[in-house]
Amino acid sequence: MNTIKAYVQENKTRFIDELIELLKIPSVSADAAYSQDVINTADAVKNSLENAGCDFVEICDTPGYPIVYGEKIIDNTLPTILVYGHYDVQPPDPIELWTSPPFEPVIKTTEIHPEGAIFARGACDDKGQMYMHVKALEYMVRSKTLPCNVKFMIEGEEEVGSKSLSWFVERNQEKLKCDVILISDTGMISNQQPSITTGLRGLSYVEVEVTGPNRDLHSGLYGGAVANPINILAKMIASLHDENNHITIPGFYDNVEELSIEERAEMAKAPFNLDDYKKALNLNDIYGEKGYLTNERNSIRPTLDVNGIWGGYTGEGAKTVIASKAFAKISMRLVPNQDWETITELFTKHFTSIAPAGVTVKVTPHHGGQGYVTPTDSIGYKAANMAYTETFGVPAIPVRSGGSIPIVALFEKELKSKTILMGFGLDSDAIHSPNEHFGIFNYLKGIETIPLFYKYFVELSK
């Protein structure tokens, strides 16, 4: 217990067992059938914070799922770190593609994780990464090495757009007052090369509905005489990109941040092997916007993707029908300076305008958020880099992520605090996909690294 490394090794089995128990609870926030499980998970998180050493923990009601708040204040004159995480998880579908049940965690070895990885929904996103912070606090409290104040805010709606979080933050600014916000809901380059996420893309998520005839029709009697909503929807979606994979919505690129040649050259220093990338995804070639590299397309460029499409008959066998309606869910990842509400309006106006006669179109916005860039000269970034350097033996590389954490921009606006994104997952961990997993190495390395962030943040703040 003299060092964090020794403490982690002594308690390794317990740390893994505790996370496995948390992963067994199917806290799927997108499906009301799991609502009680989501609430049960909030209770479990509350108990874990109390056991780790928080002096005060409460489950805070919101218009949606509750937020778990905890704190340990040792001296009001010292800095305060606010830890954010989420206890809800993505739906496990499609279940048939999992090699083991999504809520029955198992440890398996892989080529990337020879020491083993925990396979379960939420293992990496974000229960495993959130729980690293709980165990790091446990170590600092029991070893009497906690150098500053700490607060926890763990929510249950991140996977559905953090609908209640802004409501909570706006009403609890004094309670959440802090010097820096620490989040582990991102990844790093590899187990040999840590990285710190310095940029996130924003998000606009919509659902579209195309309606043709007032009922499903016989495709023989009516085929060719009425508009087929599925055919129409497919054509409309296809028209949203041109031959260079450039998004065709008027005004879409008006405020896109264009990085300089120097900035792009700095990004290119991050280790990346295109052949390995294609092999990992079983692709024979890459695809994307002309004029940009793969790691630019998925980080500093905006995108538009169909996340789901349905309509008509999809059951076994044949049914010759022209469906009355067709649907699709579409997400647009945005870069800094693109306002998600403006983009949603531009999409709605454009998508409605390209509908041909014979159908009507409805666009329903679901959720969204702004992009974010954090400076690399801040005390928080420097402290994170020092912590990674000590545990991994090499400095972290700053990278921009293609993912979205809309609440980061919200935190800066409401709490006036910068966010440090210390992720320990890997791109291969299959978050949001079947067979999601989190390496044992990564989980324990996170617990080992986080207390060092506290140490260096306090030292640099003096």
Side-chain angles (χ1 to χ4, degrees):
M1 194 148 156
N2 293 329
T3 68
I4 179 61
K5 188 182 289 288
Y7 187 79
V8 168
Q9 289 304 310
E10 291 167 9
N11 294 277
K12 173 181 177 179
T13 300
R14 175 171 63 86
F15 288 171
I16 294 171
D17 289 344
E18 288 179 8
L19 176 56
I20 284 175
E21 289 304 308
L22 188 64
L23 292 170
K24 288 180 179 179
I25 313 174
S27 51
V28 181
S29 55
D31 189 340
Y34 295 94
S35 59
Q36 187 58 52
D37 295 300
V38 179
I39 293 170
N40 291 345
T41 309
D43 291 332
V45 172
K46 176 178 183 290
N47 293 337
S48 70
L49 287 172
E50 290 172 338
N51 293 335
C54 280
D55 293 327
F56 174 74
V57 186
E58 63 177 338
I59 293 181
C60 305
D61 290 332
T62 75
Y65 286 120
I67 288 173
V68 184
Y69 174 82
E71 65 179 28
K72 188 168 185 64
I73 309 299
I74 60 174
D75 186 338
N76 286 321
T77 65
L78 291 172
T80 297
I81 295 172
L82 173 63
V83 176
Y84 164 85
H86 64 93
Y87 61 84
D88 65 319
V89 302
Q90 280 275 320
D93 308 83
I95 297 289
E96 66 274 11
L97 296 183
W98 286 77
T99 56
S100 56
F103 297 109
E104 296 178 18
V106 295
I107 297 175
K108 308 175 189 177
T109 59
T110 70
E111 183 178 349
I112 294 175
H113 298 292
E115 75 296 326
I118 303 174
F119 281 70
R121 174 58 87 224
C124 180
D125 181 21
D126 178 49
K127 286 179 177 176
Q129 298 211 67
M130 174 271 291
Y131 206 66
M132 297 183 308
H133 291 271
V134 178
K135 296 295 98 178
L137 173 67
E138 177 192 300
Y139 162 74
M140 290 185 286
V141 171
R142 296 188 183 183
S143 63
K144 296 181 171 54
T145 58
L146 181 66
C148 62
N149 308 309
V150 59
K151 299 175 179 178
F152 287 82
M153 178 172 59
I154 314 298
E155 69 153 322
E157 294 183 347
E158 197 274 346
E159 299 294 4
V160 289
S162 299
K163 296 178 181 178
S164 301
L165 190 65
S166 59
W167 178 94
F168 180 79
V169 171
E170 290 166 4
R171 288 162 175 76
N172 291 278
Q173 292 186 2
E174 187 61 32
K175 177 189 292 227
L176 300 172
K177 188 176 181 181
C178 61
D179 295 280
V180 70
I181 299 163
L182 187 59
I183 300 177
S184 295
D185 196 13
T186 52
M188 58 184 185
I189 293 172
S190 71
N191 285 352
Q192 295 74 43
Q193 178 58 68
S195 54
I196 301 172
T197 300
T198 57
L200 295 164
R201 290 195 288 191
L203 174 68
S204 169
Y205 193 99
V206 301
E207 182 173 321
V208 298
E209 175 184 325
V210 176
T211 302
N214 60 6
R215 64 186 187 277
D216 288 357
L217 301 176
H218 189 289
S219 65
L221 297 179
Y222 292 93
V226 300
N228 183 322
I230 299 176
N231 294 354
I232 297 298
L233 176 59
K235 291 179 180 179
M236 292 172 68
I237 289 174
S239 75
L240 296 176
H241 292 88
D242 64 16
E243 66 277 7
N244 295 318
N245 289 313
H246 199 262
I247 296 164
T248 58
I249 298 171
F252 188 87
Y253 291 95
D254 284 357
N255 296 310
V256 167
E257 177 194 41
E258 295 286 351
L259 268 65
S260 66
I261 294 175
E262 292 75 19
E263 289 174 304
R264 292 174 67 179
E266 193 65 25
M267 282 184 60
K269 292 180 181 179
F272 178 74
N273 185 292
L274 185 58
D275 289 335
D276 290 345
Y277 183 84
K278 292 189 290 186
K279 181 180 177 182
L281 299 174
N282 195 25
L283 296 173
N284 59 18
D285 204 355
I286 52 172
Y287 186 86
E289 185 181 3
K290 186 177 180 180
Y292 294 91
L293 302 173
T294 298
N295 280 347
E296 294 176 330
R297 291 168 176 165
N298 63 17
S299 62
I300 64 171
R301 298 299 295 168
T303 61
L304 184 154
D305 286 292
V306 178
N307 304 125
I309 186 167
W310 68 100
Y313 181 70
T314 59
E316 185 177 350
K319 182 180 181 183
T320 52
V321 62
I322 295 175
S324 172
K325 294 178 179 290
F327 305 83
K329 293 181 186 290
I330 297 172
S331 65
M332 290 161 281
R333 299 287 176 169
L334 313 175
V335 295
N337 301 333
Q338 282 186 297
D339 177 76
W340 77 271
E341 292 179 322
T342 299
I343 293 298
T344 302
E345 291 175 4
L346 290 174
F347 175 89
T348 301
K349 180 180 178 181
H350 176 68
F351 203 73
T352 303
S353 72
I354 62 175
V359 299
T360 57
V361 172
K362 177 182 177 183
V363 178
T364 303
H366 279 297
H367 61 269
Q370 312 293 31
Y372 182 79
V373 176
T374 189
T376 58
D377 59 356
S378 68
I379 290 174
Y381 181 89
K382 292 176 181 177
N385 189 31
M386 291 169 72
Y388 276 118
T389 301
E390 184 166 332
T391 55
F392 284 84
V394 294
I397 292 176
V399 298
R400 291 207 185 188
S401 170
S404 304
I405 310 179
I407 47 84
V408 173
L410 167 71
F411 288 158
E412 181 155 335
K413 175 186 175 184
E414 299 293 339
L415 302 179
K416 312 300 187 232
S417 293
K418 293 293 183 183
T419 294
I420 302 301
L421 297 159
M422 290 185 67
F424 292 85
L426 300 178
D427 286 346
S428 57
D429 287 342
I431 63 171
H432 291 210
S433 301
N435 302 310
E436 177 182 352
H437 54 281
F438 192 34
I440 299 296
F441 169 89
N442 306 72
Y443 175 50
L444 300 179
K445 204 69 169 178
I447 300 171
E448 179 186 334
T449 306
I450 290 165
L452 293 171
F453 172 84
Y454 284 65
K455 172 190 172 183
Y456 291 124
F457 185 79
V458 172
E459 290 179 0
L460 293 172
S461 298
K462 293 178 180 178

